Amino acid sequence: MAILEVNGLRKSFGNVEVLKDISFSLEKGKVLSLIGSSGSGKTTLLRCITSLEKADAGTIIVNGETVFDASQKKADSSKERRRKQLAVGLVFQSFNLFPQYTALKNITLAAELAAKDNPQFKFSKKEILRDIEEKGRALLAQVGLSDKADSYPWQLSGGQQQRVSIARALCMDPKILFFDEPTSALDPELTGEILKVIQQLAQKHMTMVIVTHEMSFARQVSDEVIFMDAGVIAAEGRPEEIFDSPENSRLREFLNKFTD
Amino acid sequence: MSFAAVNLQLLDGFKTTCMLFFVTLIAAIPLGLVVAFFSMSKFKPLQLLSRFFVWVIRGTPLMLQVMVVFYGPGLMFGMKSFPREEAVCIAFIINYAVYFSEIYRGGIESIPRGQYEAGQVLGMKKSQVFFKVVLLQVIKRIVPPMSNEIITLVKDTSLARVIAVGELVKAAQDIINTRGLIWPLFYTAVFYLIFCGGLTLIFSRIEKKLDYFRG
Ligand SMILES: Nc1ncnc2c1ncn2[C@@H]1O[C@H](COP(=O)(O)OP(=O)(O)OP(=O)(O)O)[C@@H](O)[C@H]1O
Ligand SMILES: [Mg+2]
């Protein structure tokens, strides 16, 4: 069964239509790469799916639940909105870590705040907070930063900050994790450590959607590739189909730019 | 007139100076936040009204505002005037609330949108994003301009003299008028310097406290 279904998504900024009837679906545990030239709408698509932007038309279904339906008149309650929000996680290009918190606290903060809504919180505050901290430390270990729990973001390299932000997203147990060019703000020698973390997640069958300009990585890690061009899905398929025998001429043009 | 007697008389004025300083500070700090939220309101009429008000207050001298509050009600509306001290407090509170509001607004608007978005995608409530993520970053950014403004307030209190409120400079002037002594006027500078020096120390402490993070 598809864990993500996007149907007829449209989004305009002013009179410019940036997403033109986008539909696709993704199976649970699969990795999808989104490629395409600058301005083709990749970020906008991610932002619509993660509710940072409101699409003008279409529906988004995550794990069988409609998290967005443009034809729905009534706005969700704040509680409902937050519940649906947590179905998806997002890793930003620019990390967006919280500067005043340590690496560990960055990871656990949202979970701690959410725990306050748990009716059990009053009675077993200590245990709940301890469990969250343990989870945070386990996630730090998973991204290879056990020794950086008490470091503040400014004390970390870009690659380390991005790994913390991945752990932060994972701490809320998203059904699907989205990445918007997770390595493009990094020095080339630091991209490897991020790609390794993503690869490990893929081995654990984390469902992921990755916007990337790293073609060799996209080919390695993904099960599916979507090529976006001027707001439409111009080509989609398995990585071999997309990279080895591209039929779409725009796609060929796009890929040629990476082969020199 | 002995040195001690001069000191006593000046201290009396200094008490009024301190009263004006603290009353203004305590009222204008929260009131400024309200004005800042109005100026950032998505409800256009409120936003425009608030920004117009800010423009008027920032575009006219505080001395004039003090006089308007004191003489205005009586001359324009035939109402009973405020007592001198109250009038000067009202004018100062309004004036400083407006200046603080612009500092707050600048601080809040300078926080990158990514901080709000990161909070949102992690399922935080709007209030949690503001209080747990944004606020401390705003405070860190506004401490330097706020400390400037608050040190200016110390010196602005001397404007209360225009409606004959007996603050420090007025006290010194009274000594000139009654005793013909000029040095107490210059000597008031020591009071201001010590006061401002203390504030500078406090603010640099706060800045140090917030030095542990960048952003
Ligand atoms: N908030 C906005 N307001 C107006 N126009 C926008 C906004 N966000 C994006 N756009 C426009 O939408 C188009 C698609 O932008 P988007 O960021 O989705 O592209 P992208 O595929 O992610 O590009 P890149 O590879 O450079 O990141 C661009 O033309 C952009 O200028
Ligand atoms: Mg983009």
Side-chain angles (χ1 to χ4, degrees), chain B residues 106-128:
Chain B
I108 292 172
E109 287 177 347
S110 74
I111 303 301
R113 211 170 49 152
Q115 292 288 306
Y116 295 90
E117 293 182 345
Q120 187 196 324
V121 295
L122 290 165
M124 292 183 198
K125 297 175 196 168
K126 284 216 167 88
S127 60
Q128 291 173 334

Side-chain angles (χ1 to χ4, degrees), chain B residues 3 25 73 81 89 108 113 124 131 142 149 185 189-190 198 214:
Chain B
F3 183 65
L25 205 59
S81 298
C89 284
I108 292 172
R113 211 170 49 152
M124 292 183 198
F131 287 109
I142 67 174
E149 209 55 55
L185 183 63
V190 174
R214 310 220 171 128

Side-chain angles (χ1 to χ4, degrees), chain A residues 47 50-52 81-82 85-86 88 92 96-101 109-110 113 116-117 152 154 168 172, chain B residues 113-115 117-126 128 132-134 136-137 211-215:
Chain A
R47 290 173 59 85
T50 53
S51 308
L52 290 178
R81 203 175 56 230
R82 279 181 285 124
Q85 180 80 63
L86 287 176
V88 295
F92 297 86
N96 294 338
L97 290 181
F98 307 133
Q100 72 270 44
Y101 294 119
L109 177 67
L113 293 174
K116 287 185 184 164
D117 290 340
Y152 289 91
W154 66 271
R168 179 176 72 171
M172 301 311 283
Chain B
R113 211 170 49 152
Q115 292 288 306
E117 293 182 345
Q120 187 196 324
V121 295
L122 290 165
M124 292 183 198
K125 297 175 196 168
K126 284 216 167 88
Q128 291 173 334
K132 297 290 179 173
V133 173
V134 175
L136 195 61
Q137 298 182 53
D211 237 9
Y212 70 92
F213 74 90
R214 310 220 171 128

Side-chain angles (χ1 to χ4, degrees), chain A residues 85-90 169-177 206-207:
Chain A
Q85 180 80 63
L86 287 176
V88 295
L90 176 61
L170 288 171
C171 195
M172 301 311 283
D173 297 318
K175 297 271 184 292
I176 311 168
L177 188 51
M206 179 80 208
T207 313

